[in-house]
Amino acid sequence: MFKTGRWMYVLFTCQQTLEKTAKGLYHLYFESGMPPRTHNIMEVLRRFEDRLPKQISADTVKFLDELSGYYIDTRYADFTDQLSENTRKPQAFRVLNLPKEAFKWLQTLKP
């Protein structure tokens, strides 16, 4: 997607990767519980933040909050079109590399 210039979808898939990872961790911490129905990554992590072996840094919170804003709700095509028009390569490039670090960090939170 990056190579073909689909910047919004680069951001969306980064958001989805970390959202699903956070929800997987939720399931590990609450074995029988279903993760919350939200696309906000920090909202999921806050549900078990007190159990984590590492504190979530302010920079990580800021990044995950920003990334959560790139969730695309397909029910709102006008918003999706506007978001797509306003998304540029530098933004996608910056965000593309950060989830790799965040994904590795989330992996260290397994109980």
Side-chain angles (χ1 to χ4, degrees):
M1 285 184 274
F2 189 84
K3 288 179 182 178
T4 60
R6 299 186 71 191
W7 315 124
M8 180 185 65
Y9 292 101
V10 169
L11 300 172
F12 172 69
T13 54
C14 289
Q15 182 278 334
Q16 285 288 280
T17 298
L18 295 183
E19 176 190 329
K20 302 310 179 198
T21 302
K23 288 181 176 181
L25 284 169
Y26 180 96
H27 185 72
L28 287 173
Y29 278 90
F30 301 101
E31 293 174 7
S32 61
M34 290 295 295
R37 293 185 60 135
T38 180
H39 301 288
N40 185 307
I41 301 163
M42 277 308 303
E43 186 176 329
V44 175
L45 293 175
R46 283 191 180 102
R47 303 281 177 107
F48 57 97
E49 185 175 15
D50 59 326
R51 300 180 185 193
L52 297 176
K54 300 176 184 179
Q55 185 177 7
I56 302 173
S57 73
D59 287 342
T60 300
V61 170
K62 182 178 176 183
F63 170 69
L64 293 177
D65 283 342
E66 176 189 352
L67 194 59
S68 291
Y70 296 118
Y71 170 74
I72 300 169
D73 192 331
T74 56
R75 293 175 291 179
Y76 304 106
D78 291 343
F79 175 74
T80 302
D81 292 342
Q82 181 182 5
L83 183 61
S84 183
E85 288 174 17
N86 293 325
T87 305
R88 301 287 178 252
K89 183 177 181 177
Q91 181 182 13
F93 183 76
R94 178 182 61 82
V95 172
L96 179 62
N97 291 308
L98 293 174
K100 294 174 187 175
E101 295 172 31
F103 182 77
K104 288 177 187 175
W105 174 78
L106 286 169
Q107 292 287 317
T108 69
L109 302 180
K110 292 179 187 175

